[in-house]
Amino acid sequence: MPGPPPAPGATPSARAPRVVSTDVLVVGAGPTGLMAGAWCARLGLRAVVVDAKAGPTRESRALGLQSRSLEVYRQLGLAEAVEREAVLARNVSPGVGRHRLGTVHLDRIGHGLTPFPGLHVLEQSANERILAEHLAAVGRPVAWRHAFRSLGTTPEGRPAVGLDSPTGPVTVRARYVIAADGASSPVRHALGTPFEGSTSPYEFYVLDATGVEGLGDGIEIRFSGEHFMLAFPMGRDERGGRRSRLLGILRAEDLAGAEGGEAAPDDGAVRLEARARAALAERFSVTYAGVSWFSRYRVHHRVAAAFRTGAVFLAGDAAHIHSPVGAQGMNTGLQDAQDLVCALADVLAGRADESRLERYEAERRPVALTLVRSTDRVFAAVTSLRPFARVVRSAVVPVVLPVVLRLVPRSPAGGRLFGYLSQTRIHYWMGPGPRRPPGQPRGRVVGRRLPWVPDAGHEGPVPGGDGRGDNHEALCLPRWQVHAYGPAALPLALALAEEHRDLAVDHRTGSRRPAVPALAVAAGAGPEPGAGPDGPASGLPVFAFRAAPEARLPDGTAVLVRPDGFVAELRLSPR
């Protein structure tokens, strides 16, 4: 049948050969859409991913993977593939002009907080290739050259998406649609959802340089009165020279000089690259031998007014875009995908009703709004030409910043800063209703990604684990589960698993999810009487680990963990 390739997620309708039916349609095969497709496959959802392109992106574009994104990749069994190809940036070095003012060692601050400290530099194109190859390997190949054409509704009130394929028009009838089709999102336009925010008045350049001199092995950000530079390491070129991603600002005089006369567009790009090269050398003493990619762009700070319209959801750049400061954009989209697909899986399996889907916008839109506000402020500070801002950058920052760089890593603020940058401090409301009531304090553990405990004291191999020996190894089995920290927590954990046993059921088939060992006992602790070696029969898996007070999981702590790794509930044994 013409249309998307046959896959577990797409079955032809007997009534109309040009119609495809599925539970989840993902429009867009960038990092967000491919991650959504990978999670659909991991959770056993009928889904298909489509994109107008012929294949994964060739340009590098986004390139920074934060610690939380590596944790998400790990749950898919792909962390090692990412680590093999990525360049690990262990530190960040701010500076003014030609001088570094100090270095913040991300890997040291993040040590003990995540199995993936530092920033992993991996181009968007490589992320897309890894995910697309994974989907093909599990029998869910992307339907390339399938362009979005229209969004309608079936007589039953479900989405009907029109696509243009190489063999003609195709209509996909889906329970749910994930629009991950980029900042210009045709699906968002079809919904009529406002994309609220602003666009920077300045233009910026981005280039991938080879044979780079004047930079270290980490991330560097430099300021001057009129310019700034952001540099990411990208490994070595074929001659052993340094490869770097360089970003900076194009001032009016740069644009006027490059675009004057009747030069061809390519000539304009050559002139702009020459001006960028000159500014980098003159202002920051950074030089390079060649360029493999050069582009110019404007920075937008925008968030969609709604992330959900009926059964259609926006994710990634279709829902939010912001400046490259902090390397947050691609990461936010990857986590949008995980959050949304886990919610859809619970609803499709009958473990939750439709109200569960309200939490997607309630959880992810505040994250986007916070990122847009914070990156907007930082970006404005480093690009503003106002006299006060220029004085601060050139005179105040060189005096104050070295002191800050010495003090912050040694204080609790260092861990909090790393948590924000790495996206491991994100908090969701887990109480009644989708949103936290005003004045309600945030939980220290509940609503947050499960605190990481290395050497977690698990006895024997973790079912489906990767052998790292930490408590996050249990999350390689991405399903609702219960953890017991310390022997005093075992009775609470078993009771918690029994209370939420319906979260182990797939109501589409009326059966429990595939059996796994439900209780793995920590060294020195015995199973609850009557539970048997595998814990509560046909219920949630229960994992027993050592007490970890350093991670806010003291002896007697039992937690209910969502498939995405966030703690939904906590019980503490009375002392």
Side-chain angles (χ1 to χ4, degrees):
M1 184 198 76
T11 56
S13 169
R15 294 178 298 169
R18 308 287 295 183
V19 174
V20 171
S21 297
T22 187
D23 283 334
V24 181
L25 170 66
V26 182
V27 180
T32 300
L34 291 168
M35 181 62 79
W39 271 91
C40 285
R42 187 72 177 89
L43 298 178
L45 305 186
R46 298 189 317 134
V48 63
V49 181
V50 302
D51 197 287
K53 302 191 303 290
T57 302
R58 294 183 179 275
E59 298 83 6
S60 53
R61 301 184 186 179
L63 81 167
L65 285 174
Q66 300 289 354
S67 304
R68 178 60 190 148
S69 294
L70 265 293
E71 294 173 2
V72 173
Y73 268 117
R74 180 186 180 186
Q75 289 188 267
L76 295 173
L78 297 176
E80 289 186 0
V82 170
E83 289 181 296
R84 280 195 300 270
E85 297 197 29
V87 174
L88 178 59
R90 300 180 183 275
N91 54 70
V92 179
S93 298
V96 172
R98 303 180 179 190
H99 307 288
R100 293 190 191 96
L101 298 179
T103 297
V104 175
H105 295 277
L106 296 175
D107 57 340
R108 297 178 189 175
I109 299 175
H111 179 73
L113 300 177
T114 173
F116 307 103
L119 180 78
H120 288 74
V121 179
L122 186 67
E123 303 98 314
Q124 175 177 333
S125 54
N127 280 273
E128 292 186 12
R129 175 175 45 78
I130 289 171
L131 288 166
E133 289 176 354
H134 171 72
L135 282 171
V138 298
R140 305 289 188 96
V142 177
W144 301 109
R145 297 188 178 90
H146 284 68
F148 173 83
R149 183 182 72 250
S150 63
L151 176 63
T153 306
T154 68
E156 299 78 22
R158 294 181 177 177
V161 176
L163 304 172
D164 289 324
S165 79
T167 56
V170 178
T171 297
V172 179
R173 295 179 175 177
R175 289 278 303 275
Y176 302 103
V177 175
I178 299 175
D181 49 345
S184 59
S185 180
V187 177
R188 190 186 65 240
H189 284 288
L191 291 171
T193 301
F195 205 29
E196 301 164 339
S198 62
T199 300
S200 170
Y202 306 119
E203 283 204 55
F204 302 84
Y205 67 82
V206 55
L207 63 91
D208 289 345
T210 57
V212 180
E213 301 286 346
L215 295 175
D217 292 328
I219 302 164
E220 302 214 18
I221 179 167
R222 305 272 186 89
F223 313 95
S224 71
E226 296 183 353
H227 291 267
F228 91 98
M229 176 202 71
L230 184 60
F232 294 91
M234 297 178 68
R236 299 284 173 171
D237 59 31
E238 61 276 5
R239 297 183 179 180
R242 190 184 307 279
R243 294 177 59 235
S244 297
R245 164 72 57 81
L246 303 173
L247 300 94
I249 192 167
L250 294 168
R251 298 299 185 187
E253 58 269 23
D254 298 321
L255 296 171
E259 296 177 345
E262 298 181 358
D266 287 346
D267 293 335
V270 170
R271 294 178 185 178
L272 285 175
E273 186 273 318
R275 287 179 176 270
R277 181 192 294 254
L280 288 166
E282 178 183 352
R283 305 283 182 174
F284 307 116
S285 292
V286 174
T287 62
Y288 54 87
V291 175
S292 59
W293 180 57
F294 177 88
S295 185
R296 56 191 282 194
Y297 63 98
R298 286 192 183 273
V299 170
H300 305 271
H301 299 90
R302 298 183 181 275
V303 178
F307 281 19
R308 178 191 184 189
T309 303
V312 182
F313 299 83
L314 303 179
D317 285 355
H320 46 77
I321 51 174
H322 42 81
S323 85
V325 171
Q328 301 290 308
M330 179 168 61
N331 298 273
T332 308
L334 295 176
Q335 292 166 60
D336 287 347
Q338 183 200 36
D339 183 290
L340 177 54
V341 173
C342 288
L344 293 174
D346 279 345
V347 173
L348 287 168
R351 293 186 292 271
D353 59 29
E354 285 279 331
S355 65
R356 168 68 178 90
L357 302 179
E358 296 175 10
R359 285 188 176 270
Y360 169 65
E361 179 173 317
E363 292 177 353
R364 297 304 301 170
R365 192 166 184 270
V367 172
L369 288 170
T370 299
L371 282 175
V372 166
R373 284 194 295 264
S374 58
T375 58
D376 190 14
R377 285 194 295 267
V378 172
F379 206 65
V382 301
T383 60
S384 174
L385 288 178
R386 294 178 179 177
F388 177 76
R390 295 172 67 172
V391 169
V392 169
R393 289 198 299 267
S394 59
V396 178
V397 169
V399 176
V400 175
L401 191 57
V403 178
V404 174
L405 294 178
R406 286 195 299 269
L407 295 179
V408 168
R410 304 173 186 175
S411 71
R416 288 195 294 271
L417 178 61
F418 176 83
Y420 291 127
L421 290 174
S422 65
Q423 299 197 359
T424 56
R425 278 185 62 88
I426 290 171
H427 180 272
Y428 301 149
W429 168 248
M430 294 291 173
R435 290 173 174 80
R436 180 166 60 100
Q440 181 73 28
R442 294 182 175 184
R444 302 179 71 188
V445 174
V446 174
R448 300 185 186 275
R449 149 268 200 195
L450 179 70
W452 183 57
V453 181
D455 301 321
H458 191 276
E459 186 176 87
V462 173
D466 55 8
R468 292 180 184 247
D470 58 346
N471 65 332
H472 279 203
E473 188 175 359
L475 302 180
C476 294
L477 183 72
R479 55 180 291 188
W480 287 89
Q481 56 191 253
V482 175
H483 291 193
Y485 291 90
L490 284 174
L492 280 178
L494 292 169
L496 191 60
E498 176 63 24
E499 183 178 329
H500 293 284
R501 63 186 295 113
D502 281 350
L503 292 174
V505 177
D506 187 336
H507 292 279
R508 291 173 297 181
T509 61
S511 63
R512 305 260 169 197
R513 300 181 71 179
V516 297
L519 177 62
V521 182
E528 178 75 358
D534 293 334
S538 303
L540 294 183
V542 179
F543 297 95
F545 299 105
R546 69 170 175 85
E550 73 281 5
R552 297 176 177 171
L553 299 169
D555 187 19
T557 303
V559 293
L560 175 67
V561 186
R562 301 194 319 189
D564 61 358
F566 278 76
V567 177
E569 190 173 339
L570 180 147
R571 302 275 177 87
L572 190 60
S573 176
R575 297 187 181 279

